[in-house]
Amino acid sequence: MTSETPSSPAQPASPSLAEALAAGTVVLDGGMSNQLESAGHDLSDALWSARLLAERPEAITEAHLAYYEAGANVAITSSYQATFEGFAQRGIDREEATRLLGLSVELAREAAAQAHAKGVARPLWVAASVGPYGAMLADGSEYRGRYGLSVEELERFHRPRMEVLAAARPDVFALETVPDADEARALLRAARGLGVPAWLTYTVSGDRTRAGQPLEEAFAPAADADEVIAVGVNCCTPEDVDGAAAIAARVTGKPVVVYPNSGEAWDAEARAWHGRSTFTAEQVRGWQAAGARLIGGCCRVGPEAIGAIARTLAPAAG
Protein backbone atom coordinates (compact mmCIF):
# COMPACT_ATOMS: atom_id res chain seq x y z
CA MET A 1 0.00 0.00 0.00
CA THR A 2 1.02 3.61 -0.27
CA SER A 3 1.08 6.09 2.58
CA GLU A 4 -1.29 8.45 0.84
CA THR A 5 -4.85 8.89 2.07
CA PRO A 6 -7.86 10.57 0.50
CA SER A 7 -8.02 14.33 0.96
CA SER A 8 -10.41 15.45 3.65
CA PRO A 9 -13.21 17.96 3.09
CA ALA A 10 -11.44 20.35 5.47
CA GLN A 11 -8.22 20.40 3.44
CA PRO A 12 -8.87 19.35 -0.15
CA ALA A 13 -5.46 20.37 -1.50
CA SER A 14 -3.32 19.04 1.35
CA PRO A 15 -0.44 16.64 0.79
CA SER A 16 -0.47 13.38 2.70
CA LEU A 17 1.16 13.44 6.11
CA ALA A 18 3.89 11.12 4.80
CA GLU A 19 4.68 13.63 2.05
CA ALA A 20 4.80 16.44 4.60
CA LEU A 21 7.21 14.48 6.79
CA ALA A 22 9.44 13.84 3.79
CA ALA A 23 9.51 17.58 3.13
CA GLY A 24 10.15 18.88 6.65
CA THR A 25 9.03 18.99 10.26
CA VAL A 26 5.37 18.78 11.30
CA VAL A 27 3.92 19.98 14.62
CA LEU A 28 1.72 17.68 16.69
CA ASP A 29 -0.80 18.78 19.29
CA GLY A 30 -0.50 18.38 23.07
CA GLY A 31 -2.44 16.57 25.76
CA MET A 32 -6.20 16.25 25.28
CA SER A 33 -6.96 15.55 28.93
CA ASN A 34 -5.14 18.56 30.36
CA GLN A 35 -6.81 20.86 27.83
CA LEU A 36 -10.25 19.52 28.76
CA GLU A 37 -9.48 19.79 32.47
CA SER A 38 -8.28 23.37 32.04
CA ALA A 39 -11.69 24.12 30.50
CA GLY A 40 -13.35 22.82 33.66
CA HIS A 41 -14.30 19.28 32.66
CA ASP A 42 -14.11 16.47 35.22
CA LEU A 43 -12.21 13.47 33.82
CA SER A 44 -12.13 11.36 36.99
CA ASP A 45 -13.64 8.40 35.18
CA ALA A 46 -12.38 5.11 33.76
CA LEU A 47 -13.22 6.37 30.26
CA TRP A 48 -11.13 9.51 30.83
CA SER A 49 -11.59 12.01 27.98
CA ALA A 50 -13.55 9.45 25.94
CA ARG A 51 -16.50 10.00 28.30
CA LEU A 52 -17.00 13.42 26.76
CA LEU A 53 -17.60 11.86 23.35
CA ALA A 54 -21.02 10.93 24.68
CA GLU A 55 -21.61 13.76 27.14
CA ARG A 56 -19.88 16.89 25.80
CA PRO A 57 -18.62 16.36 22.24
CA GLU A 58 -18.41 20.10 21.61
CA ALA A 59 -15.77 20.33 24.35
CA ILE A 60 -13.55 17.95 22.40
CA THR A 61 -13.91 20.04 19.23
CA GLU A 62 -12.94 23.13 21.24
CA ALA A 63 -9.85 21.37 22.60
CA HIS A 64 -8.72 20.33 19.11
CA LEU A 65 -9.33 23.85 17.83
CA ALA A 66 -7.18 25.35 20.58
CA TYR A 67 -4.23 23.24 19.42
CA TYR A 68 -4.77 23.94 15.73
CA GLU A 69 -4.92 27.67 16.45
CA ALA A 70 -1.80 27.42 18.62
CA GLY A 71 0.21 26.04 15.71
CA ALA A 72 -0.37 22.28 15.56
CA ASN A 73 -0.67 20.64 12.16
CA VAL A 74 -1.96 17.32 13.53
CA ALA A 75 -4.72 16.65 16.07
CA ILE A 76 -4.91 13.29 17.85
CA THR A 77 -8.48 12.12 18.44
CA SER A 78 -10.06 11.48 21.84
CA SER A 79 -10.31 7.72 21.17
CA TYR A 80 -7.23 6.69 23.21
CA GLN A 81 -9.35 5.10 25.92
CA ALA A 82 -12.39 4.42 23.72
CA THR A 83 -12.96 0.68 23.30
CA PHE A 84 -15.98 -1.56 22.89
CA GLU A 85 -15.12 -3.26 26.17
CA GLY A 86 -14.68 -0.01 28.09
CA PHE A 87 -17.91 1.47 26.75
CA ALA A 88 -19.76 -1.77 27.59
CA GLN A 89 -18.70 -1.43 31.21
CA ARG A 90 -20.59 1.90 31.20
CA GLY A 91 -23.71 0.35 29.64
CA ILE A 92 -22.99 1.66 26.14
CA ASP A 93 -23.92 -0.94 23.52
CA ARG A 94 -21.86 -1.83 20.47
CA GLU A 95 -23.89 0.26 18.04
CA GLU A 96 -23.49 3.40 20.13
CA ALA A 97 -19.83 2.64 20.78
CA THR A 98 -19.30 2.39 17.03
CA ARG A 99 -20.92 5.77 16.58
CA LEU A 100 -18.76 7.35 19.31
CA LEU A 101 -15.54 5.98 17.85
CA GLY A 102 -16.41 7.45 14.46
CA LEU A 103 -17.45 10.68 16.13
CA SER A 104 -13.96 11.09 17.60
CA VAL A 105 -12.60 11.51 14.06
CA GLU A 106 -15.49 13.73 12.97
CA LEU A 107 -14.93 16.13 15.88
CA ALA A 108 -11.28 16.61 14.95
CA ARG A 109 -12.30 17.17 11.33
CA GLU A 110 -14.82 19.77 12.48
CA ALA A 111 -12.11 21.54 14.48
CA ALA A 112 -9.88 21.61 11.38
CA ALA A 113 -12.75 23.10 9.36
CA GLN A 114 -13.31 25.75 12.02
CA ALA A 115 -9.60 26.55 12.10
CA HIS A 116 -9.54 27.00 8.33
CA ALA A 117 -12.64 29.19 8.55
CA LYS A 118 -10.81 31.36 11.07
CA GLY A 119 -7.92 31.87 8.68
CA VAL A 120 -5.52 29.04 9.47
CA ALA A 121 -4.10 28.36 6.01
CA ARG A 122 -1.64 25.52 6.62
CA PRO A 123 -2.50 21.83 6.10
CA LEU A 124 -4.22 20.15 9.06
CA TRP A 125 -4.38 16.40 9.62
CA VAL A 126 -6.28 14.08 11.94
CA ALA A 127 -4.66 11.12 13.72
CA ALA A 128 -7.00 8.47 15.13
CA SER A 129 -5.66 7.48 18.55
CA VAL A 130 -5.36 3.77 19.28
CA GLY A 131 -4.25 3.36 22.87
CA PRO A 132 -2.86 0.17 24.40
CA TYR A 133 -4.89 -2.60 26.02
CA GLY A 134 -3.86 -1.29 29.43
CA ALA A 135 -5.64 2.01 28.79
CA MET A 136 -8.97 0.17 28.78
CA LEU A 137 -8.11 -1.36 32.17
CA ALA A 138 -7.63 2.17 33.61
CA ASP A 139 -5.23 0.89 36.26
CA GLY A 140 -1.92 2.24 35.02
CA SER A 141 -0.96 -1.01 33.30
CA GLU A 142 -0.35 0.83 30.03
CA TYR A 143 2.89 1.87 31.73
CA ARG A 144 3.85 -1.74 32.51
CA GLY A 145 2.65 -3.96 29.66
CA ARG A 146 2.96 -7.73 30.12
CA TYR A 147 -0.81 -8.22 30.42
CA GLY A 148 -0.63 -12.02 30.14
CA LEU A 149 -2.20 -11.94 26.67
CA SER A 150 -0.73 -13.34 23.47
CA VAL A 151 -0.01 -11.29 20.37
CA GLU A 152 -3.02 -12.95 18.73
CA GLU A 153 -5.32 -12.04 21.62
CA LEU A 154 -4.13 -8.44 21.57
CA GLU A 155 -4.66 -8.26 17.82
CA ARG A 156 -8.25 -9.49 18.27
CA PHE A 157 -8.79 -6.78 20.89
CA HIS A 158 -7.46 -3.93 18.75
CA ARG A 159 -8.69 -4.81 15.25
CA PRO A 160 -12.46 -4.15 15.64
CA ARG A 161 -12.12 -0.59 16.88
CA MET A 162 -9.39 0.11 14.33
CA GLU A 163 -11.79 -1.02 11.59
CA VAL A 164 -14.37 1.47 12.88
CA LEU A 165 -11.84 4.27 13.12
CA ALA A 166 -10.56 3.50 9.61
CA ALA A 167 -14.11 3.78 8.26
CA ALA A 168 -14.19 7.37 9.57
CA ARG A 169 -11.21 8.11 7.28
CA PRO A 170 -8.57 9.65 9.51
CA ASP A 171 -5.31 10.64 7.86
CA VAL A 172 -3.27 8.32 10.05
CA PHE A 173 -3.49 5.99 13.03
CA ALA A 174 -1.62 7.00 16.18
CA LEU A 175 -0.65 3.63 17.67
CA GLU A 176 0.49 5.27 20.85
CA THR A 177 1.70 4.85 24.41
CA VAL A 178 2.62 1.24 23.66
CA PRO A 179 4.48 -0.26 26.64
CA ASP A 180 5.40 -3.63 25.21
CA ALA A 181 6.95 -4.89 21.96
CA ASP A 182 4.44 -7.78 21.86
CA GLU A 183 1.58 -5.30 21.80
CA ALA A 184 3.32 -3.29 19.09
CA ARG A 185 3.46 -6.42 16.93
CA ALA A 186 -0.25 -6.98 17.55
CA LEU A 187 -1.07 -3.39 16.58
CA LEU A 188 0.99 -3.58 13.41
CA ARG A 189 -0.81 -6.78 12.44
CA ALA A 190 -4.19 -5.20 13.21
CA ALA A 191 -3.38 -2.21 11.00
CA ARG A 192 -2.73 -4.31 7.91
CA GLY A 193 -5.21 -3.91 5.08
CA LEU A 194 -7.19 -1.05 6.60
CA GLY A 195 -5.96 1.52 4.09
CA VAL A 196 -4.76 3.97 6.75
CA PRO A 197 -1.07 4.71 7.40
CA ALA A 198 0.14 4.66 11.00
CA TRP A 199 2.76 5.90 13.36
CA LEU A 200 3.95 3.73 16.24
CA THR A 201 5.14 5.21 19.53
CA TYR A 202 6.31 3.47 22.67
CA THR A 203 6.21 4.81 26.19
CA VAL A 204 9.73 4.25 27.44
CA SER A 205 12.12 4.49 30.35
CA GLY A 206 15.60 5.28 29.15
CA ASP A 207 16.54 2.97 26.29
CA ARG A 208 13.89 0.35 27.02
CA THR A 209 10.14 -0.06 26.71
CA ARG A 210 8.16 0.08 29.92
CA ALA A 211 8.01 -3.72 29.74
CA GLY A 212 11.81 -3.79 29.73
CA GLN A 213 12.64 -4.65 26.11
CA PRO A 214 15.61 -2.89 24.44
CA LEU A 215 14.39 -0.24 22.02
CA GLU A 216 16.61 -1.63 19.25
CA GLU A 217 14.49 -4.78 19.33
CA ALA A 218 11.18 -3.01 19.94
CA PHE A 219 11.50 -0.66 16.96
CA ALA A 220 12.64 -3.36 14.53
CA PRO A 221 9.19 -4.71 13.48
CA ALA A 222 8.18 -1.23 12.28
CA ALA A 223 11.09 -1.04 9.85
CA ASP A 224 9.46 -3.48 7.41
CA ALA A 225 5.83 -2.43 7.99
CA ASP A 226 4.61 -0.59 4.89
CA GLU A 227 1.78 1.01 6.84
CA VAL A 228 4.15 2.76 9.24
CA ILE A 229 5.17 6.29 8.23
CA ALA A 230 6.84 7.31 11.51
CA VAL A 231 8.21 5.62 14.63
CA GLY A 232 9.14 6.98 18.03
CA VAL A 233 8.05 7.67 21.59
CA ASN A 234 5.34 9.43 23.55
CA CYS A 235 4.13 9.74 27.14
CA CYS A 236 7.68 9.63 28.49
CA THR A 237 9.89 12.25 30.09
CA PRO A 238 11.43 14.90 27.83
CA GLU A 239 14.84 13.64 28.93
CA ASP A 240 14.14 10.20 27.41
CA VAL A 241 13.49 11.56 23.93
CA ASP A 242 16.96 12.24 22.49
CA GLY A 243 18.33 8.74 22.89
CA ALA A 244 15.11 7.01 21.87
CA ALA A 245 14.72 9.20 18.78
CA ALA A 246 18.22 8.38 17.62
CA ILE A 247 17.59 4.64 18.07
CA ALA A 248 14.28 4.82 16.19
CA ALA A 249 15.91 6.62 13.27
CA ARG A 250 18.84 4.20 13.14
CA VAL A 251 16.79 1.01 13.42
CA THR A 252 13.92 1.87 11.09
CA GLY A 253 15.25 4.51 8.69
CA LYS A 254 11.85 6.22 8.97
CA PRO A 255 10.84 9.69 10.17
CA VAL A 256 10.74 9.88 13.94
CA VAL A 257 7.73 11.04 15.97
CA VAL A 258 8.16 12.33 19.54
CA TYR A 259 5.64 13.78 21.98
CA PRO A 260 6.71 13.47 25.60
CA ASN A 261 4.91 14.48 28.76
CA SER A 262 5.72 17.62 30.69
CA GLY A 263 8.16 15.75 32.92
CA GLU A 264 5.78 15.45 35.85
CA ALA A 265 5.04 11.98 37.25
CA TRP A 266 1.64 10.24 37.11
CA ASP A 267 0.34 8.50 40.25
CA ALA A 268 -2.10 5.87 38.95
CA GLU A 269 -3.60 5.18 42.39
CA ALA A 270 -4.20 8.82 43.26
CA ARG A 271 -4.95 9.66 39.59
CA ALA A 272 -2.86 12.81 39.95
CA TRP A 273 0.35 14.38 38.65
CA HIS A 274 3.30 15.24 40.90
CA GLY A 275 6.59 17.05 40.45
CA ARG A 276 7.54 19.86 38.11
CA SER A 277 7.59 20.35 34.38
CA THR A 278 10.91 19.93 32.55
CA PHE A 279 9.44 20.40 29.05
CA THR A 280 10.78 23.38 27.08
CA ALA A 281 10.40 24.37 23.45
CA GLU A 282 14.18 24.71 23.13
CA GLN A 283 14.53 20.93 23.53
CA VAL A 284 12.90 20.31 20.16
CA ARG A 285 15.99 21.38 18.24
CA GLY A 286 17.89 18.47 19.76
CA TRP A 287 15.01 16.10 18.98
CA GLN A 288 14.98 17.35 15.42
CA ALA A 289 18.72 16.77 15.14
CA ALA A 290 18.18 13.19 16.36
CA GLY A 291 15.75 12.55 13.50
CA ALA A 292 12.38 13.77 14.80
CA ARG A 293 10.08 15.09 12.06
CA LEU A 294 6.75 14.94 13.91
CA ILE A 295 7.03 16.79 17.22
CA GLY A 296 4.52 17.73 19.91
CA GLY A 297 3.58 17.00 23.51
CA CYS A 298 1.56 14.51 25.49
CA CYS A 299 0.20 14.73 29.04
CA ARG A 300 0.37 18.16 30.70
CA VAL A 301 1.66 19.86 27.55
CA GLY A 302 -0.88 22.48 26.48
CA PRO A 303 -1.52 24.90 23.61
CA GLU A 304 0.94 27.48 24.91
CA ALA A 305 3.79 24.95 24.75
CA ILE A 306 2.69 23.72 21.32
CA GLY A 307 2.67 27.31 20.09
CA ALA A 308 6.22 27.72 21.38
CA ILE A 309 7.27 24.53 19.56
CA ALA A 310 5.73 25.80 16.32
CA ARG A 311 7.56 29.11 16.66
CA THR A 312 10.84 27.38 17.48
CA LEU A 313 10.59 25.13 14.43
CA ALA A 314 9.42 27.79 11.98
CA PRO A 315 10.04 28.02 9.09
CA ALA A 316 11.07 24.35 9.12
CA ALA A 317 7.60 23.29 10.29
CA GLY A 318 4.94 22.74 7.65
Side-chain angles (χ1 to χ4, degrees), residues 124-148:
L124 302 176
W125 295 277
V126 171
S129 175
V130 181
Y133 178 82
M136 181 270 294
L137 301 177
D139 62 358
S141 61
E142 70 256 51
Y143 299 114
R144 299 189 299 270
R146 307 282 85 182
Y147 315 115

Side-chain angles (χ1 to χ4, degrees), residues 19-308:
E19 291 169 336
L21 293 175
T25 307
V26 177
V27 179
L28 260 175
D29 64 2
M32 170 61 72
S33 61
N34 51 266
Q35 181 60 16
L36 291 170
E37 287 174 333
S38 69
H41 301 288
D42 179 12
L43 302 183
S44 57
D45 184 278
L47 286 176
W48 205 24
S49 55
R51 178 174 60 85
L52 297 187
L53 284 170
E55 298 179 6
R56 292 290 304 277
E58 70 280 2
I60 293 173
T61 301
E62 291 166 3
H64 287 314
L65 180 60
Y67 283 116
Y68 279 140
E69 291 187 308
N73 300 102
V74 184
I76 302 174
T77 65
S78 55
S79 51
Y80 173 81
Q81 215 143 351
T83 65
F84 289 112
E85 294 81 357
F87 281 133
Q89 292 171 11
R90 290 290 302 273
I92 297 173
D93 64 24
R94 197 170 187 85
E95 181 179 359
E96 178 63 2
T98 296
R99 186 188 74 82
L100 294 176
L101 282 162
L103 179 63
S104 71
V105 176
E106 294 171 15
L107 295 175
R109 288 282 188 223
E110 172 59 25
Q114 290 184 22
H116 282 137
K118 289 186 172 187
V120 174
R122 64 185 183 277
L124 302 176
W125 295 277
V126 171
S129 175
V130 181
Y133 178 82
M136 181 270 294
L137 301 177
D139 62 358
S141 61
E142 70 256 51
Y143 299 114
R144 299 189 299 270
R146 307 282 85 182
Y147 315 115
L149 300 178
S150 68
V151 172
E152 292 74 19
E153 288 170 323
L154 288 168
E155 181 184 0
R156 286 196 294 272
F157 168 78
H158 286 296
R159 177 76 182 200
R161 64 175 172 147
M162 290 174 67
E163 290 175 341
V164 172
L165 289 169
R169 298 178 68 185
D171 297 294
V172 63
F173 283 130
L175 310 178
E176 58 178 353
T177 323
V178 181
D180 191 319
D182 285 347
E183 184 159 29
R185 283 189 282 272
L187 285 161
L188 293 176
R189 284 166 52 164
R192 290 175 188 163
L194 293 180
V196 179
W199 77 62
L200 172 69
T201 51
Y202 286 97
T203 176
V204 302
S205 179
D207 62 355
R208 292 179 175 266
T209 68
R210 293 299 183 98
Q213 299 114 340
L215 289 181
E216 287 87 350
E217 298 175 11
F219 287 133
D224 299 322
D226 292 340
E227 291 84 0
V228 176
I229 62 171
V231 183
V233 294
N234 80 293
C235 211
C236 58
T237 69
E239 293 74 22
D240 282 330
V241 169
D242 292 271
I247 295 170
R250 183 177 71 249
V251 170
T252 70
K254 297 191 177 191
V256 175
V257 49
V258 299
Y259 48 117
N261 295 335
S262 66
E264 297 161 86
W266 172 249
D267 183 333
E269 291 187 8
R271 298 186 66 81
W273 292 91
H274 301 291
R276 64 180 184 85
S277 173
T278 59
F279 187 104
T280 65
E282 290 74 20
Q283 293 165 314
V284 304
R285 285 296 187 195
W287 303 342
Q288 191 179 39
R293 294 295 175 267
L294 186 55
I295 301 175
C298 200
C299 300
R300 308 286 283 180
V301 178
E304 184 177 347
I306 297 305

